[in-house]
Amino acid sequence: MGTLSEFGWKMQADRERLCSALVCKLLPVQAGDANHDLAMEYCLQNLEQHRYGDVNPLAVEELYASLSDRLGSHAQLEKQRALSRLVKSLLSCHLDSQQPEPQHNTLCLVYWLARRPLDSAYIPPDSEGAVAGQDILYGKSLCAVAL
């Protein structure tokens, strides 16, 4: 494996801790059991040599363009405008992150967590207390959120 930095050792320790918790949750084993160690080896090896790619910014923007088009075709114009405004706001923010393209990673995560965005109710922010870019994160600016 090579020499790790202090950050690398912390990341490895966090990865092992989280994998151990996952293995114990999914399998009837405890830490220290032979099967636990075998499952941990499998998990850690697959995490080191993952087969999932990084987020493609163009693909994410196409997902949101498609969603915006669908919102427009379903006459959900207020949602369409809000989506466009929030996506532009997030993409214009500088996010400090170790990951490449943190804005697009965030947008991708939100897209897939939303499941059925056309079915959700949109409640516009209170016009008196709303400040641009601060209406969805409990009053915090989108640019102030660190990943």
Side-chain angles (χ1 to χ4, degrees):
M1 175 191 273
T3 305
L4 295 176
S5 65
E6 183 178 338
F7 177 77
W9 285 112
K10 287 180 183 177
M11 291 296 293
Q12 182 179 356
D14 284 345
R15 191 177 302 121
E16 288 176 6
R17 180 182 53 79
L18 291 170
C19 282
S20 180
L22 180 65
V23 165
C24 290
K25 181 76 173 176
L26 296 176
L27 302 174
V29 296
Q30 296 298 322
D33 294 348
N35 286 337
H36 176 272
D37 295 340
L38 183 64
M40 281 290 296
E41 183 181 329
Y42 177 81
C43 288
L44 293 172
Q45 186 176 31
N46 281 300
L47 284 175
E48 284 180 18
Q49 299 177 11
H50 62 80
R51 288 182 222 121
Y52 51 89
D54 292 329
V55 172
N56 180 348
L58 293 175
V60 172
E61 290 175 16
E62 287 175 5
L63 282 174
Y64 276 88
S66 172
L67 176 59
S68 180
D69 290 345
R70 286 187 295 155
L71 287 169
S73 69
H74 287 268
Q76 296 184 8
L77 302 179
E78 201 168 340
K79 279 186 187 180
Q80 185 183 32
R81 284 189 294 272
L83 178 69
S84 176
R85 186 185 84 240
L86 293 171
V87 167
K88 285 178 185 175
S89 177
L90 181 63
L91 289 176
S92 68
C93 291
H94 171 72
L95 302 175
D96 291 329
S97 175
Q98 298 293 326
Q99 300 294 324
E101 305 289 344
Q103 296 90 345
H104 290 90
N105 281 326
T106 303
L107 285 172
C108 189
L109 174 68
V110 169
Y111 183 88
W112 293 112
L113 289 176
R115 294 190 183 170
R116 299 178 60 136
L118 294 178
D119 294 341
S120 65
Y122 173 69
I123 302 169
D126 181 17
S127 59
E128 294 174 7
V131 177
Q134 293 187 347
D135 52 349
I136 62 166
L137 293 172
Y138 307 103
K140 296 180 182 175
S141 170
L142 282 173
C143 295
V145 177
L147 295 178

